[in-house]
Amino acid sequence: MPSDSSSLQSSAVINEAVQTLRDGGLVAFPTETVYGLGADAKNPDAIKRIFTAKGRPSNHPLIVHLAASDKFDQAQVDWVPVLAPWVRDLSEDALKLINAFWPGPLTLVFKKDKSVLNELTGGQDTVAIRAPAHPIAQELLRKFKGGVVAPSANRFGKVSPTSAADVRSEFEGMLELMILDGGDCEVGIESTIIDLSSGDHPVLLRPGLITPGEILAKTGIQVYLPGEIDSVKQGGDMPRVSGSLRAHYAPTTPLRMYASGRVLDALSEFPDIKSRVAVAVWDSESSLGVDGHPSAHFEEVLVPSDSAAFASRLYRSLRDLDQQGWDLILFPEPPAGEEWDGVRDRLQRACFGSGPSSSSHANS
Ligand code: AMP
Ligand code: MG
């Protein structure tokens, strides 16, 4: 694969990727959120290959990625026939959400059509679907003419990849893995997931760039938080959303968050702190000037104080810092406000799963 991340993939390479999918193989490809590890959603053996490659428990359902056949006018697409083979019924709310946000970083969970494989839904009677906006993802899906399941292209529990090189380093042992290079992902965190399967109240299962406030403003649809809805409806103890585990997206270096101005407090958990601590600092604050610790040496790394820019760089920063041999990484607690909910969610899980033990896939 070309490593020049600015180059878009040629048609010939995409045709080869389509053939690989048809043959039951895996193809990693860029989306606007993170890179996905794709397989034919109608091929049970290909789906099993994804779970094996990721080390992902088989009851964690996958998202089906679709594209409309019209290349030129995605905004005017009639999504009803595209969704018909996958979804049992499409409500008016569903169509409003789709018309407002597809293609884009919004995943919707529906009651599934009976033909949808149990292997991809983790045995649930629902299916999660998204239409990605990235041109390479769209070309791949359009040429494939079918659904592609594509969880993030990382080992289970690890930081999601936002470049082709990240995917390569996650699957170093799989030299034959085909990776389409579409440069760096713009959104940088996984899609917002809304559950429409109960038929009455849309429920936010995973926060992302698209927020309930934006959904309300654009469509008039009220999205509920899981806690606001009868919890019995939420699928018992089945992990409906793999990112809902407490530990996820985790670096191997210990990671913690600090409250504004309280960097040293974050060290209390590490009484025998070693020397090298990387401290992420809002680019709007010139410097924290942290000192006053007898043994720790702090180095500041600027992070964007705009939520979308922060999200776009979050996994890149975590991966880079994880490679640099710090003893501890500190990130500022994101401010209140729903535009920060997506990154706060990822950072909390990344903190919880971080540390040397997270290098064993089984525990995260
Ligand atoms: P990833 O593995 O990072 O691509 O994330 C895909 C997410 O979609 C996971 O968190 C899945 O659990 C979630 N998902 C897929 N299908 C469903 C479904 N039927 N119901 C709820 N969540 C789903
Ligand atoms: Mg993932």
Side-chain angles (χ1 to χ4, degrees):
M1 284 300 95
S3 57
D4 172 9
S5 58
S6 64
S7 70
L8 290 189
Q9 300 281 218
S10 70
S11 289
V13 173
I14 293 190
N15 292 343
E16 194 189 329
V18 167
Q19 193 55 49
T20 303
L21 292 174
R22 293 206 175 118
D23 293 342
L26 305 185
V27 174
F29 63 94
T31 81
E32 71 277 27
T33 59
V34 301
Y35 274 69
L37 184 63
D40 179 357
K42 294 282 180 195
N43 181 334
D45 292 330
I47 293 171
K48 275 186 206 125
R49 271 180 209 115
I50 285 198
F51 285 100
T52 307
K54 278 184 64 91
R56 176 167 165 138
S58 61
N59 61 348
H60 286 256
L62 305 174
I63 296 173
V64 177
H65 292 67
L66 299 174
S69 53
D70 184 351
K71 176 175 180 178
F72 298 103
D73 206 354
Q74 290 279 322
Q76 297 301 312
V77 165
D78 179 4
W79 290 100
V80 176
V82 181
L83 284 165
W86 304 91
V87 168
R88 210 180 306 159
D89 52 13
L90 264 180
S91 64
E92 235 171 78
D93 274 2
L95 283 171
K96 275 194 206 161
L97 290 171
I98 287 167
N99 289 327
F101 294 104
W102 281 11
L106 179 70
T107 297
L108 298 173
V109 175
F110 303 94
K111 282 257 186 291
K112 79 177 186 75
D113 183 83
K114 60 182 182 316
S115 65
V116 176
L117 295 174
N118 281 325
E119 285 85 346
L120 84 83
T121 67
Q124 302 181 92
D125 72 340
T126 55
V127 62
I129 302 189
R130 176 165 112 79
H134 196 290
I136 293 180
Q138 287 185 357
E139 192 179 343
L140 179 72
L141 293 166
R142 242 189 340 264
K143 287 184 166 166
F144 180 65
K145 296 190 171 72
V148 169
V149 282
S152 52
N154 53 277
R155 308 277 177 171
F156 184 62
K158 296 298 183 179
V159 180
S160 304
T162 53
S163 74
D166 293 344
V167 180
R168 181 59 72 206
S169 75
E170 283 290 316
F171 296 103
E172 266 172 342
M174 276 175 73
L175 293 179
E176 75 290 359
L177 176 65
M178 183 166 194
I179 304 173
L180 299 179
D181 190 342
D184 293 338
C185 300
E186 253 174 65
V187 175
I189 58 171
E190 297 77 359
S191 58
T192 305
I193 304 183
I194 307 279
D195 186 359
L196 298 173
S197 67
S198 77
D200 36 18
H201 299 300
V203 179
L204 180 72
L205 295 185
R206 179 171 72 185
L209 179 74
I210 296 174
T211 61
E214 187 185 353
I215 290 174
L216 184 64
K218 286 208 176 131
T219 64
I221 294 171
Q222 170 86 49
V223 173
Y224 293 81
L225 302 180
E228 294 173 325
I229 295 288
D230 181 6
S231 59
V232 189
K233 285 186 191 163
Q234 294 300 309
D237 55 8
M238 182 88 78
R240 295 174 64 97
V241 182
S242 79
S244 66
L245 298 177
R246 269 187 89 189
H248 215 80
Y249 321 112
T252 307
T253 313
L255 167 72
R256 294 292 180 275
M257 281 190 270
Y258 66 90
S260 178
R262 308 192 72 94
V263 174
L264 293 181
D265 290 3
L267 297 186
S268 58
E269 207 192 312
F270 303 87
D272 52 347
I273 182 70
K274 319 97 190 173
S275 55
R276 303 188 66 238
V277 182
V279 188
V281 175
W282 300 120
D283 59 8
S284 52
E285 297 171 15
S286 53
S287 165
L288 287 179
V290 225
D291 49 20
H293 195 278
S295 58
H297 163 73
F298 297 90
E299 223 164 283
E300 295 180 356
V301 185
L302 291 183
V303 288
S305 40
D306 167 76
S307 58
F310 184 98
S312 170
R313 304 266 323 144
L314 174 62
Y315 292 148
R316 165 89 286 112
S317 311
L318 288 179
R319 275 179 183 273
D320 290 349
L321 291 167
D322 212 11
Q323 293 302 308
Q324 291 167 8
W326 302 98
D327 296 313
L328 177 65
I329 303 168
L330 297 177
F331 261 70
E333 275 171 11
E338 69 166 16
E339 72 277 22
W340 286 98
D341 285 352
V343 293
R344 188 179 310 103
D345 168 76
R346 304 311 189 279
L347 267 174
Q348 281 166 346
R349 296 179 210 284
C351 286
F352 192 79
S354 68
S357 62
S358 74
S359 53
S360 117
H361 304 143
N363 87 335
S364 47

